[in-house]
Amino acid sequence: MRSLFLVTLVVPDYDRAIAWYRGVLGFTLASDEPLGEGKRWVVMRPDATGGAGLLLAKASDADETAAIGNQTGGRVAFFLQTDDFAHDHALYRSRGVEFIEEPRHEDYGTVAVFKDAFGNFWDLIEHR
């Protein structure tokens, strides 16, 4: 059996990213291990019980810094599934999350695009 379990997300600072994903989106800090030379193995998960997670990687040079917030060329990079869109949408808005569109109803479910603290685009989506 195979599954995708981590996706690397380049961030400017580990602690700032941990604080945002945990405090604003409610993610769980699954791992924070020192690797030496200022590097850390930092994994955030939307659900503490499993599923795919984000491996936060601190930008280490100019090219990586330039990619922060634009790792997919301006497209939605991440898809956060919820079973209660109205609740999570209202919660995130109350926490200052910038939604770049109003919720829309598609054949596949309810969705709205938001930006994280670093400029990456996300879909918040509740499937039908």
Side-chain angles (χ1 to χ4, degrees), residues 41-104:
W41 182 263
V42 178
V43 176
M44 304 293 300
R45 295 190 187 283
D47 183 347
T49 62
L54 296 176
L55 175 65
L56 303 181
K58 183 178 176 185
S60 62
D61 61 29
D63 287 340
E64 290 178 9
T65 299
I68 293 171
N70 193 28
Q71 295 175 87
T72 58
R75 297 186 59 114
V76 170
F78 305 100
F79 300 81
L80 184 59
Q81 183 171 296
T82 178
D83 61 359
D84 190 344
F85 182 92
H87 173 269
D88 287 338
H89 182 261
L91 176 66
Y92 291 167
R93 285 181 59 118
S94 75
R95 292 179 177 173
V97 172
E98 179 186 355
F99 281 86
I100 63 166
E101 65 179 15
E102 291 299 314
R104 65 183 194 279

Side-chain angles (χ1 to χ4, degrees), residues 1-126:
M1 184 176 115
R2 295 185 181 138
S3 65
L4 185 63
F5 75 103
L6 288 177
V7 175
T8 299
L9 178 61
V10 180
V11 296
D13 178 80
Y14 292 117
D15 295 323
R16 183 173 159 221
I18 291 168
W20 198 85
Y21 288 109
R22 183 168 39 195
V24 176
L25 294 188
F27 283 23
T28 299
L29 179 61
S31 179
D32 187 355
E33 303 295 327
L35 298 175
E37 299 180 9
K39 292 184 179 182
R40 292 156 55 184
W41 182 263
V42 178
V43 176
M44 304 293 300
R45 295 190 187 283
D47 183 347
T49 62
L54 296 176
L55 175 65
L56 303 181
K58 183 178 176 185
S60 62
D61 61 29
D63 287 340
E64 290 178 9
T65 299
I68 293 171
N70 193 28
Q71 295 175 87
T72 58
R75 297 186 59 114
V76 170
F78 305 100
F79 300 81
L80 184 59
Q81 183 171 296
T82 178
D83 61 359
D84 190 344
F85 182 92
H87 173 269
D88 287 338
H89 182 261
L91 176 66
Y92 291 167
R93 285 181 59 118
S94 75
R95 292 179 177 173
V97 172
E98 179 186 355
F99 281 86
I100 63 166
E101 65 179 15
E102 291 299 314
R104 65 183 194 279
H105 303 284
E106 301 288 351
D107 290 340
Y108 54 83
T110 304
V111 62
V113 177
F114 69 92
K115 288 197 316 189
D116 67 16
F118 312 104
N120 299 293
F121 291 112
W122 292 68
D123 269 0
L124 176 64
I125 184 168
E126 179 179 6

